[in-house]
Amino acid sequence: MITLSQLVPYADLGIGAGVINSISMSEPNDPIRTRAIASAMRVLIVSMFVVSAIGALGATVFSWSDVLNLGNSGLANVDAVTGLVVIAFAVTIPLGVGQRVLLALLLNPVAIVVTALGPILSLAGTALIVWRGLPPELMVFPPVVGGLISAAVSVSIAMKRIGFRWITVFQYRQYHLPGLLSQGMWYLMISIVSAFAFQWGRVVLASRATLGDVATYSLAMQFYAPLWSFFIAAGTSLWPIFARSRSRNESSSKLLARMVSYFVGAAVLCLVGLVALGPWLASWISHSIVEAGALIFLGCGVLIIVQAVQLVLGVSLTSPRDLRFQALWGLPMAAVVVGATWVFAPIWGAITPFVSAAAGVLVFQVIPNIVRVRANSRRMREGMTVEQFATIGT
């Protein structure tokens, strides 16, 4: 039940991508900002009601305890508790627009700080339940409620900065921006295929390799995940910068090259640190039970380097057509990554998902995106030349 929060990026149907682009590419007090947020809210409120209805049906029409296989757990009121958790999760769906707005306003540090409230409040709520000796089934509420409060704070700050009036959500004819859902679908596809490609490794290893390989891979992922989260936070902050340059027909080639070099440099430092310190830290964390040598951390570091390049390229290609381009190339990437992991897992062991993912990202994302960036730059230069020529001719 607690893992429901992981579904937020999918429940918003990718609408956040259109919101970020619309706000980033507009000036303050531009009506398009209000139209984008109001249109996004309408879609997400519908999503909220659908998810809420599913939560309520699990407590009335069907049983959540049967769905989650908790019939013999000994927990009381599983159906009612799960239904309430699903409804609380559903409320966070429209509130998630706040983080996208803050990102578009170049306030990503604020969004990160506010997001950190969620785990803090979750820990405090869990401690309170344990201290008061409350029923154990209530332990599922703190993470969801913490996320809900964090999202509410984000949307409150964001709407004040924009000057958004909530009444506009109900004024469809005046405040409507078409195209948000269509480009959101491409962004949603990118999220889904990426999750499929990068999260399936453990499942394939469990089927095709040994338990030792699964343990080694899982331990290496404990190092990879927090390191990569820093890159994600830094990389997404570049999205509105590239979008704004695109809206002004300004070349971002120099910025792109500089950011790629910065991110690759940081990724190389991560690789060196992982190879040098990873085996020792892994041995200490697992009490020498799990063997994780330098090779597995080398694979982990190589993946971070390749993904760092792709991250910068990806956030520079966020127009509707570019999102579609990335989404379509993501399909063969996911298929190849999972397929290669399945074929080579018995031979290479725990390092297989890292190597397969790095190769898949390089071939199906980095290389196509480099070609796309160069094509976009060439079209922009030609367009500027035509405009200058027309001006001179007059």
Side-chain angles (χ1 to χ4, degrees):
M1 290 184 285
I2 296 175
T3 56
L4 284 171
S5 60
Q6 303 299 316
L7 298 177
V8 172
Y10 311 106
D12 79 345
L13 306 177
I15 289 293
V19 173
I20 295 173
N21 282 337
S22 298
I23 295 177
S24 302
M25 299 169 67
S26 61
E27 300 297 330
N29 301 320
D30 190 330
I32 196 173
R33 295 187 169 190
T34 299
R35 291 164 56 196
I37 297 174
S39 299
M41 280 291 182
R42 294 186 196 105
V43 176
L44 298 180
I45 287 173
V46 172
S47 179
M48 178 190 71
F49 280 119
V50 171
V51 176
S52 297
I54 295 174
L57 289 173
T60 54
V61 177
F62 63 91
S63 173
W64 279 115
S65 60
D66 293 338
V67 173
L68 301 174
N69 196 26
L70 296 174
N72 299 323
S73 63
L75 299 175
N77 304 314
V78 172
D79 291 345
V81 168
T82 305
L84 290 174
V85 168
V86 172
I87 293 172
F89 156 75
V91 176
T92 65
I93 296 174
L95 298 182
V97 170
Q99 289 185 336
R100 277 67 174 180
V101 173
L102 291 176
L103 173 61
L105 294 175
L106 301 178
L107 294 174
N108 200 36
V110 176
I112 293 173
V113 171
V114 174
T115 302
L117 287 175
I120 295 173
L121 294 173
S122 174
L123 178 61
T126 302
L128 179 62
I129 291 173
V130 174
W131 177 60
R132 298 289 297 178
L134 299 176
E137 54 266 24
L138 297 180
M139 298 286 281
V140 299
F141 282 104
V144 178
V145 174
L148 176 59
I149 295 174
S150 173
V153 174
S154 291
V155 79
S156 176
I157 297 174
M159 298 314 174
K160 286 182 180 179
R161 298 299 292 262
I162 289 289
F164 181 78
R165 296 181 297 113
W166 290 97
I167 189 65
T168 58
V169 176
F170 305 98
Q171 299 173 337
Y172 177 82
R173 293 185 178 180
Q174 186 176 357
Y175 297 99
H176 172 64
L177 185 66
L180 283 181
L181 189 58
S182 59
Q183 64 178 304
M185 289 293 100
W186 294 118
Y187 183 68
L188 179 63
M189 182 184 295
I190 293 173
S191 301
I192 292 174
V193 297
S194 296
F196 184 81
F198 299 129
Q199 300 299 324
W200 204 250
R202 185 179 289 104
V203 177
V204 175
L205 285 179
S207 301
R208 299 281 290 168
T210 66
L211 291 178
D213 290 330
V214 175
T216 301
Y217 173 77
S218 299
L219 186 58
M221 284 294 291
Q222 301 306 310
F223 292 82
Y224 164 84
L227 288 174
W228 183 239
S229 67
F230 286 106
F231 284 87
I232 290 290
T236 51
S237 65
L238 298 174
W239 183 331
I241 298 175
F242 285 118
R244 188 163 300 177
S245 297
R246 186 171 62 247
S247 68
R248 298 174 178 175
N249 289 324
E250 298 174 351
S251 175
S252 58
S253 300
K254 293 183 179 179
L255 174 63
L256 180 62
R258 187 165 67 250
M259 289 299 104
V260 168
S261 65
Y262 290 162
F263 274 67
V264 169
V268 169
L269 290 177
C270 288
L271 182 147
V272 173
L274 285 169
V275 173
L277 301 177
W280 175 76
L281 288 172
S283 177
W284 178 69
I285 292 173
S286 66
H287 301 284
S288 300
I289 296 176
V290 178
E291 294 184 5
L295 186 61
I296 184 71
F297 290 105
L298 177 63
C300 181
V302 169
L303 176 59
I304 290 178
I305 292 175
V306 176
Q307 282 188 294
V309 177
Q310 162 55 22
L311 177 60
V312 180
L313 293 173
V315 295
S316 72
L317 296 171
T318 54
S319 69
R321 294 182 65 183
D322 288 335
L323 288 175
R324 177 177 178 271
F325 177 84
Q326 293 195 70
L328 294 178
W329 273 103
L331 293 174
M333 184 272 294
V336 168
V337 168
V338 175
T341 304
W342 179 269
V343 171
F344 294 107
I347 304 172
W348 296 345
I351 198 176
T352 309
F354 292 120
V355 175
S356 300
V361 171
L362 177 63
V363 174
F364 295 100
Q365 290 190 314
V366 172
I367 294 176
N369 282 356
I370 290 176
V371 175
R372 185 74 170 187
V373 166
R374 295 184 64 179
N376 288 347
S377 298
R378 184 171 60 253
R379 282 196 296 267
M380 181 176 294
R381 288 195 303 269
E382 293 173 352
M384 291 176 65
T385 302
V386 170
E387 291 175 1
Q388 293 171 355
F389 178 78
T391 303
I392 294 174
T394 57

